[in-house]
Amino acid sequence: MAYMSQEGYDKMVAELKRLESVERPKASAAIAEARDKGDLSENSEYDAAKEAQGHLEAKINQLKLAIQEAKIVDVSRLSTDTVQILTKVEMTNLVTKAKMTYTIVSENEANLREGKISIKTPIAQGLLGKKEGDEAEIKIPSGIVRLRIEKISLAE
């Protein structure tokens, strides 16, 4: 089961619809076009089109499963007392003094460019349950990072 926001769920449903209604017909057309070129035993275009279709179907099935297992969290019922999924955390790196802000989301919603990190990342795991003012030492692949939580708010 994956906890996620309504927005994240809606994005997944929209992506599934796009893959099924736009990308799947394109993949079928590419296979048909390659098939029309003759001998399939030496037709690399046909092999590539079939492989692309296989990847597409795998992605569709993965999205369907994620949608089926999704549990939408009512953000209005969340508390900002501690760090949890769908909270926005403003923090300071105690070594570099760099400020950073992340929203903790489900794996399917993670997008670093948008400041959304998966709840399964080491940083999110190290922050869960902490309060404003708490300090956390978190082991990450490049070593240990020391963070102080400045503010916890609800994700927009």
Side-chain angles (χ1 to χ4, degrees), residues 38-150:
D39 184 11
L40 297 181
S41 64
E42 294 179 16
N43 188 334
S44 61
E45 202 174 313
Y46 177 78
D47 293 339
K50 287 294 282 182
E51 188 174 331
Q53 182 188 41
H55 289 298
L56 176 65
E57 291 302 324
K59 189 170 183 178
I60 287 171
N61 288 335
Q62 182 183 8
L63 267 174
K64 282 182 175 178
L65 184 62
I67 289 168
Q68 182 181 337
E69 293 180 344
K71 176 97 172 96
I72 298 168
V73 175
D74 180 358
V75 181
S76 68
R77 298 181 69 183
L78 292 178
S79 161
T80 56
D81 293 344
T82 60
V83 176
Q84 57 188 308
I85 193 163
L86 300 180
T87 54
K88 184 180 197 174
V89 185
E90 294 175 35
M91 60 203 123
T92 303
N93 181 318
L94 295 173
V95 176
T96 66
K97 304 301 181 214
K99 304 255 187 235
M100 58 189 96
T101 302
Y102 291 125
T103 301
I104 299 176
V105 297
S106 71
E107 261 189 307
N108 294 318
E109 294 179 89
N111 182 334
L112 205 49
R113 281 191 298 269
E114 295 176 6
K116 296 177 178 181
I117 62 169
S118 166
I119 193 162
K120 294 188 176 182
T121 61
I123 289 180
Q125 287 292 305
L127 294 173
L128 288 176
K130 300 272 190 285
K131 296 176 168 57
E132 287 181 8
D134 283 357
E135 294 182 5
E137 280 195 8
I138 303 168
K139 188 174 181 340
I140 58 173
S142 61
I144 291 187
V145 66
R146 291 184 56 227
L147 302 171
R148 181 177 57 239
I149 298 170
E150 306 296 345

